[in-house]
Amino acid sequence: MARAERLSLLAKAPAARLAALWAACGLEAEAGAWRWLRPPETGAVMVRGRAGGTGEPFNLGEMTATRCTLRLAGGEIGHGWTAGRDKTKARTVALCDALAETPAAEALEAAVLAPLRAEAEAADEARAARAAATKVEFFTLVRGESV
């Protein structure tokens, strides 16, 4: 999994679910001693949008985000970004990001990332199914004078 995809998955995961998977996986000890390069801090980020998804970008507004950066004892660096003010979630995201660059990556994938990915895909499918249930199909009849 690419780093950007991994960080996106971790940032979008519900905080309680991420915390439960992190606690159950037992990789906290694998992370060992680590130190902050940038302790968790909360601020505002500008959210940009595009009209119709393809038009010119425009500033939609600001949202609150929390970020942090840490370094493991082995030198691996992890970054954590999350929407909102949850500093614990940002730290967990950063630890997962850093551990994904170590030999513990396979264990992290199996214990944390794979379940989160499966749950996100199931939620996407459920959302698509709800949207499909409201789909209206229009058709045009051929009128006699158009022939």
Side-chain angles (χ1 to χ4, degrees):
M1 171 178 256
R3 188 175 208 181
E5 293 174 51
R6 178 176 63 243
L7 287 171
S8 175
L9 177 67
L10 291 166
K12 292 175 185 174
R17 182 65 176 141
L18 179 60
L21 289 171
W22 176 252
C25 76
L27 289 173
E28 184 85 34
E30 187 74 29
W34 52 269
R35 66 180 183 90
W36 290 118
L37 296 179
R38 175 184 297 140
E41 56 188 6
T42 301
V45 294
M46 181 59 67
V47 179
R48 299 199 50 150
R50 290 181 182 266
T54 58
E56 288 294 316
F58 63 94
N59 292 338
L60 186 62
E62 293 181 343
M63 69 176 272
T64 305
T66 302
R67 70 178 181 178
C68 65
T69 303
L70 54 81
R71 181 187 311 252
L72 299 181
E76 297 83 3
I77 295 176
H79 303 282
W81 280 81
T82 186
R85 301 175 180 271
D86 193 343
K87 293 180 179 181
T88 303
K89 181 180 176 187
R91 180 186 70 85
T92 304
V93 170
L95 283 168
C96 289
D97 183 43
L99 282 173
E101 305 299 323
T102 68
E106 289 181 24
L108 178 72
E109 172 68 32
V112 178
L113 299 177
L116 288 177
R117 189 178 310 107
E119 292 165 11
E121 289 170 359
D124 287 346
E125 289 172 8
R127 186 173 32 257
R130 284 193 308 272
T134 64
K135 183 177 179 182
V136 177
E137 304 234 1
F138 294 93
F139 59 92
T140 305
L141 296 175
V142 176
R143 295 174 46 164
E145 59 267 3
S146 347
V147 179

